[in-house]
Amino acid sequence: MKKETRIALKNLGKINPENIDDYLFHGGYQAIAVALEMQPITIIEEIEKSGLRGRGGAGFPTGIKNRFTSNSCNDCERFVVCNADEGEPGTFKDRIIMENDPHLLLEGMLISAYGIGASKGYIYIRAEYYLSIDRLKKAIESAYKRGYLGKNIMGSQFSFDLEIKLGAGSYLCGEELTLIESLEGKRGYPRIKPPFPAEKGLFGKPTLINNVETLSHFPSIITNGAEWYSNMGTEKSKGTKIFTISGNVNNPGFFEVEMGISLHSLIYDFAEGIKDGKTFKGALLGGAAGTFVDNSMLDAAMDYDKLKERGASLGSGAIIVFDENQSIYDLLYSILRFFKHESCGKCVPCRIGTAQLLSLMDKLKNEENKLEIINEILFQSEMMAKTSLCPLGQSPILPVRSAIKYFEKEIISQSIIVNNF
Amino acid sequence: MSELVTITIDGKQLTAEKGTNLLQIAKNNGINIPSLCYHKKLSPTGACRLCLVKIDGTNGLTASCTVQIKEGMNVIAFDEELETIRKYLLDYLVSEHNEANDETYNDEFKDLLKRYDLINTENRKFPSVWKLFNYPTDDSSPVLTYDASKCIKCFRCIKACNEVQGKNVLSFTDRGISSYIIGGFGVWGESECDGCGECIQLCPTGAIVEKPHRTEININKIDRKVKTTCPYCGVGCQIELFVQDEKIVRSIGVDGLMPNDGRLCIKGRFGYDFIQSKERLTSPLIKKNGRFEEATWDEALDLIAFKFNEVIEKHGNDALAGYSSAKCTNEDNYIFQKFIRTVFGNNNVDYCTRLCHASTVTAMLRSIGDGAGSNSIEDFETTDCLLVTGNNIIETHPITATYIKRGVARGMQVIIIDPKWTPLVKYAKLWLQPRLGTDVALLNGMIRHIIHTDLINKQFIETKIDRGWEAFEELKILTEKYTPELTEEITGVPKDKMMEAASIYAKSPTSMIATGMGMSQQVTGTNNVFSIINMMLICGQIAKERAGIDPPRGQNNVQGATDVGASPINYPGYIPIGNEENRRKVANIWGVPFESLSSKPGLTTVEIAKAAYDGKIKALYIMGENPMVTDPNLNHTKNAFEKLDFVVVQDIFHTETTPYADVILPAASFAEKNGTFVNSDRRVLRVRKVVETPGSARQDWQIIQEIAKRMKKPMTSFTNESDIFDEIASVTPMMAGISYNRIENGGIQWPCPDKSHPGTSTLFIEKFNTPNGKGKLNPVDYVAQNEKTSKEYPFLLNSGRILFQYHSATLSRKNDALNAFANESYVLMHPNDAQKNKLTNGIKVKLISPRGELETTLKISEEVLEGELFMPWHFSESLVNNLTRDELDPHSKIAPFKLSACKVVIN
Amino acid sequence: MMTEEILAKYKPQKDNLIQILHEIQDAHHQQYLPEEELIKIAKYLNMSMSSIYGVTSYYTMFSTKPRGKYIIRLCESPICDMLGSDKIAIKLKEILKINFNETTSDGLFTLESSECLGLCGNKPSMMINQRTYTGLNEDIIELIINDLRNE
């Protein structure tokens, strides 16, 4: 039973991503044509009704965000921003979309811009994604030439300009308010929230920020209707999701499937099971800012709320699988090193906490009172979660708590093994 | 008034304006929520997280510094959980922190560690990690040191530099726990930092500390802190001087007091060392056989009394004159002018204002009836448009400029008219760069454009302008020939820019004008200002809040000295000497016969020198002035002074002028004085005695009284400055309501006609101060300058000030901190001229004009136009005024310091 | 391309800073941002030197030190780390005879580490300049470096 349901990846492999005619031949830019016949508010309503939730990781209802931005002022300048700063470890779904179907993203942005009344958009993309950038640039160029970008799109009153802006190596810039700072050419420090971007975003103007995958669902929702979309997935997690599976599996890669699929099916049907005949020890769901699970969770349905009920998170859709030979201690160490490296340093708990957690991990190797140290790691992570300014400092608790929940014994024993080296 | 709301913090009900900052409201009401990154002058940062609170209806914890209050908000600021979290955060912070403290600064962080019982390391949970990160120390700035290991990364310095001072010189480098503050590319001393030290003042730990007196100061051993007024420019910043062992060891800005609200520039913060300079005059000196010898006060004063009386007997009353001083207090100046009028018996009293804003004041008095700035310094932040003409305001009035920069940040449009680049250009919407001496043509062109595009204010012309449309017609006819094309031809300013500037000025809801020396120090100085007033009047950009004309005053008390009568034509309060009723009133108060007060106009500064040269003036009494640097055409002044029979110089240092003295009297500096200054926005500000005078130096006003007594023409004998001020108030109508009591906790802006009057922030709201209450148009034509370039003298030399030195540099160059930034003369030349003349950057050159010459260093710079040069005039080894002319503006008698033909040769 | 030409392509707006830095760095044969170029940018964008430097030092892709013709970015994400990127790192250091953040004496290679490059599979990944390399093991590394040396 290995069947994908492709929406964001619907054209993958079918079209030449550098050829707009190919995209058009496969029904491209027909959704925006339909949208332009609709009232902007209808677009927002359709998105709301579809039940689409943000695919960047937070799972916030996309329609509500659109409505907030649309309502935040009358007649003022607004922006749509595509968050293509994919940096969550283990995640590469956005890269796949941009490399393979850049026009789909453009069309999604056009629809969302028309819906909220924005005439300028930006794609903020991490600079390491050279191929994505190249393909997007070509797509934007040909879209301008064919009148899908620029003034009076397809003869309508709607005009829209789109620009690519590059990141330069900062995980935190994927956080939406930090992304705005970076878009403005500054150091990536998170802003104080509120105000939300919907009220005061880029250059102080209402701004709608959506993830690449989220926007790539817009054209199909408009073409096929909200009902078509909401028939897929589960009660509260509608539609499809691209999961990126990596680690000790036979067939790592990306898979777009309906929400609600079991973790077991993803790992065994799609990723074809554990490599080298080893056994499944556990997985990290959602990347570094995600949660560990063990085999007791293989039956879990991949659904925002159901996972949350069971203490796990779906996040960006990254699934990092590890076998019985992997050191959870090392993996956790690597995750905490990552947070320290990516902490911007603005707020005290995250700046110092990420450093202190890592030194506690070192201490764990070298000292005997391991339970005490593990409790201290948990305590500090909790404090950081309570007090940090932005999601980065609030994240370490997720892998820390879940790793301890499922693998406390392993962490202790592996820290001893490392010591004996 | 905005809406009042009621909130509850820990069960206590508080009422405050909706939208105000929750943390600040709590602090104002004695609920001391701890915080480090928050400062009331800065936008909230939310970095330290110490001010986290619980708010009903909000998930989790919220940093109270980031919350605007709303009706009914219910806040828990203190409970066990919050206090545990705060302790945890402080504990975290101290693990990143080098606690070495040399007691030279206040340490807000340490105070909090005490409060949370974390001073004792045994009470701490987290291991110290700061040593792992090799935090550097940047010691490259001449005025401060930054030690990253003591930095808590609160952003206050960055925001102090950016939001308070508008400079944006600082940033973080790197990220996370290894991040720290940098200036420039990591070397503070090579950055754009101009040393104002705002970052030091707002640093909550000792990460940024000042260098001067670092080895002496101990913050716990400060004997006293005295609030007074800065002695440099005319902004009038309120400073607090720290005294330790009778020595001034620190200067900080006073928060909450206008005009500076705590802000200072480098001079205000680091320019106080001259007070305790070893070069201070400490004893009277009498010249004997060409050399100065120490003398007793009795010897010196008796000699002066004898000599002055002798000159009066031999040559009559008109053979004496006096220079009063913009550096001295109102009280000193008042006594000085009273001395000239009652003891010398003439009106020959003037001072360097003549060389400064005389033309501005003349034009303003004639057209709108007051020569003082019409607005308040804080209006420079809130007006919609600011036109800055011939005014390098960032360097000459740095704190006024902070208001402008803050204004620009919130959308104010700045238009600059200046032949030379100034730092404000970086903040400006438009920069018009006219050739030297072509201002009238430019302004007439702008007026014509405003008329032609119907941007005039018709109602204003009808109701507020003398002779209304008739006067307007005259202006219209006169300006008609200044077509955009002709204006561009004369001035070199592209016509589109000129027209855009005119439109912005005229259309903005409120526009202010800041006019400076570039306009005033010209032969056409008065006409320049007439032109700009004409434009202002037809646009109606005056007689309302945040509109008008403001000539920022160059010296600390240049406004006050004239206000209290240091003028050859006006009594205190700008009452003309010809006004007999006033003379009678004043004679009565002064206790002298009415007939003894001369009604004949006195001589002005340059006229005094000319009269001396002509042998008409025989004796000169100079108080705190340095004409041998400040006068134009110094070679002439020198010859004139050499002809004088008797010269007294009363000062705090030897100056370029003291060699011409027969007697030198040591006086008190501002820090040794009680008294008042009046700043640029007419604010009467207290000056307070901080330390004792050195040696036998005395108060200026006491010396003057003593000379009068010994000349057998005693004046009222005052024993304190407060009484002097009361007499000033009694003869100066605009200060009638002011007394020391009233200005103890902050200045009052004149006019303040009675004891219950709050002072006046904006002039002319009801009417102009002219006889009929209306503004007068004075149409003027552009006239080409007499001084022209020629084959022999191909350049036009402009001169001006720089930030780090001040006036004739008598005070500023006695401060190492200021000298470290700039202590050498230079001349700026356009790269094309340098190329044409085969001159290279940094070479020594000689500048020669028909009047004289000087040596300096060439700097090649695009800040000046081709064919024009610019020199700072502070440096006595390269006296710019050797080159300038004493051809005077016929209206105001100001000299044209801004335009001298000269040539440049390799030295 | 000269810095001046690159600047001329952009409006003097602060939000263009990061793109300008990328272009100037990419155009430099040593793939870095020399101070004199940063000063030109500061002037063009009317920004202070520290605000420019603050940005270059925040983002890991910018360097103010000269780098090699080939910048090797070895992924050290938790995934690649788990899959053995530490062994690749040892191998790279051994072949190139340099440590991380150093450049070979012939000016060819600079060795850097990177956070997740989005090339996750069941073996470690890296990038060399704009090229991506997945499925790495110690043998392949040697071949890749040798190929580049011979290019």
Side-chain angles (χ1 to χ4, degrees), chain A residues 169-171 187 189 192 194 340-349 351-357 359 376 379-380 383-384 386-389, chain B residues 44-49 52 61 66 81 84-85 88-89 92-93 95-96 125-127 129 133 152-153 155 171-177 179:
Chain A
S170 162
Y171 166 71
R187 289 168 63 81
Y189 284 129
I192 294 165
K340 177 180 171 244
H341 185 250
E342 296 301 330
S343 170
C344 72
K346 182 174 179 179
C347 79
V348 170
R351 179 178 78 231
I352 302 168
T354 51
Q356 289 282 4
L357 287 180
S359 61
E376 182 62 23
F379 168 79
Q380 292 195 24
M383 276 294 190
M384 286 169 67
K386 268 190 197 172
T387 58
S388 289
L389 172 63
Chain B
T45 305
C48 76
R49 316 305 288 166
L52 289 171
L61 309 174
T66 66
E81 186 192 6
T84 306
I85 283 172
Y88 152 85
L89 289 168
Y92 250 4
L93 206 43
S95 76
E96 185 200 32
K125 258 181 94 173
F126 308 118
V129 291
F133 301 102
I152 57 165
K153 300 163 190 175
F155 289 72
S171 174
F172 271 106
T173 187
D174 218 317
R175 67 188 187 201
I177 197 159
S179 60

Side-chain angles (χ1 to χ4, degrees), chain B residues 371-433:
Chain B
S374 37
N375 306 92
S376 295
I377 285 175
E378 54 268 36
D379 296 339
F380 280 83
E381 182 172 329
T382 53
T383 187
D384 301 295
C385 165
L386 179 69
L387 177 60
V388 182
T389 58
N391 189 344
N392 180 6
I393 200 160
I394 284 186
E395 297 200 69
T396 58
H397 299 81
I399 298 307
T400 304
T402 63
Y403 287 95
I404 302 174
K405 294 184 243 178
R406 289 156 62 100
V408 170
R410 42 165 288 284
M412 174 171 73
Q413 304 198 77
V414 172
I415 299 163
I416 296 174
I417 301 179
D418 208 306
K420 181 188 168 288
W421 181 91
T422 73
L424 192 66
V425 170
K426 288 199 251 178
Y427 301 82
K429 166 100 178 158
L430 281 176
W431 171 32
L432 278 46
Q433 195 178 15

Side-chain angles (χ1 to χ4, degrees), chain B residues 461 465-472 474 772 774-777:
Chain B
I461 292 169
I465 291 183
D466 187 36
R467 299 189 298 119
W469 289 110
E470 190 189 336
F472 173 78
E474 289 165 17
N772 67 1
K774 292 193 174 190
K776 199 170 175 306
L777 293 174

Side-chain angles (χ1 to χ4, degrees), chain B residues 168-186:
Chain B
N168 205 6
V169 171
L170 304 179
S171 174
F172 271 106
T173 187
D174 218 317
R175 67 188 187 201
I177 197 159
S178 41
S179 60
Y180 58 90
I181 303 291
I182 50 161
F185 296 147

Side-chain angles (χ1 to χ4, degrees), chain B residues 500-773:
Chain B
E500 190 187 352
S503 297
I504 294 172
Y505 175 80
K507 275 186 195 166
S508 295
T510 65
S511 290
M512 274 166 55
I513 295 165
T515 178
M517 300 295 97
M519 292 279 277
S520 67
Q521 290 179 332
Q522 295 193 31
V523 174
T524 55
T526 306
N527 282 357
N528 290 345
V529 181
F530 274 145
S531 310
I532 205 158
I533 293 174
N534 291 341
M535 182 171 82
M536 172 180 79
L537 288 173
I538 61 164
C539 296
Q541 289 290 18
I542 191 168
K544 56 186 177 187
E545 303 262 326
R546 300 188 298 281
I549 177 167
D550 296 84
R553 294 302 203 252
Q555 298 221 45
N556 55 329
N557 199 31
V558 71
Q559 181 68 51
T562 319
D563 292 347
V564 300
S567 159
I569 53 167
N570 288 326
Y571 270 77
Y574 299 89
I575 300 166
I577 49 169
N579 183 322
E580 189 178 321
E581 188 194 341
N582 182 60
R583 264 199 346 272
R584 284 183 188 278
K585 174 187 152 192
V586 171
N588 188 33
I589 292 171
W590 288 352
V592 295
F594 158 67
E595 302 76 20
S596 72
L597 295 178
S598 168
S599 62
K600 186 177 140 198
L603 297 173
T604 65
T605 299
V606 181
E607 286 173 337
I608 289 170
K610 282 186 174 162
Y613 188 80
D614 295 340
K616 289 176 191 154
I617 294 286
K618 295 289 184 189
L620 191 55
Y621 182 9
I622 301 172
M623 171 177 80
E625 284 266 300
N626 191 7
M628 283 313 299
V629 175
T630 59
D631 265 18
N633 195 0
L634 282 173
N635 288 326
H636 180 268
T637 310
K638 185 173 172 237
N639 293 335
F641 278 26
E642 278 165 356
K643 289 191 174 185
L644 287 164
D645 287 351
F646 188 66
V647 178
V648 176
V649 176
Q650 182 170 311
D651 211 313
I652 66 171
F653 287 111
H654 277 291
T655 67
E656 290 71 17
T657 305
T658 49
Y660 298 86
D662 295 282
V663 181
I664 302 173
L665 300 174
S669 78
F670 87 103
E672 294 132 21
K673 280 179 178 180
N674 282 308
T676 52
F677 294 154
V678 184
N679 76 341
S680 291
D681 66 357
R682 301 166 274 106
R683 226 176 284 249
V684 182
L685 298 159
R686 268 306 307 273
V687 176
R688 293 184 183 85
K689 183 170 178 172
V690 183
V691 286
E692 293 297 329
T693 50
S696 69
R698 290 186 181 179
Q699 301 293 330
D700 284 294
W701 61 270
Q702 285 175 335
I703 301 171
I704 304 162
Q705 284 191 169
E706 196 59 31
I707 294 172
K709 203 163 93 190
R710 289 175 197 238
M711 286 174 75
K712 305 282 183 272
K713 294 179 182 172
M715 308 193 294
T716 325
S717 187
F718 287 103
T719 54
N720 66 63
E721 296 82 1
S722 175
D723 291 347
I724 302 176
F725 192 88
D726 290 342
E727 186 175 300
I728 294 174
S730 72
V731 298
T732 311
M734 69 216 184
M735 294 186 193
I738 304 176
S739 64
Y740 276 20
N741 274 341
R742 284 196 70 189
I743 57 173
E744 185 56 31
N745 297 313
I748 293 178
Q749 289 169 283
W750 66 250
C752 174
D754 60 65
K755 297 275 178 212
S756 59
H757 194 284
T760 309
S761 61
T762 307
L763 295 181
F764 316 124
I765 293 283
E766 278 168 35
K767 62 181 184 63
F768 291 108
N769 202 19
T770 49
N772 67 1

Side-chain angles (χ1 to χ4, degrees), chain A residues 7-8 52 55 213-221 229 240 256:
Chain A
I7 295 175
L52 177 63
R55 296 291 190 251
E213 189 186 359
T214 314
L215 286 163
S216 301
H217 286 234
F218 277 48
S220 296
I221 293 172
Y229 190 85
T240 58
E256 184 172 10

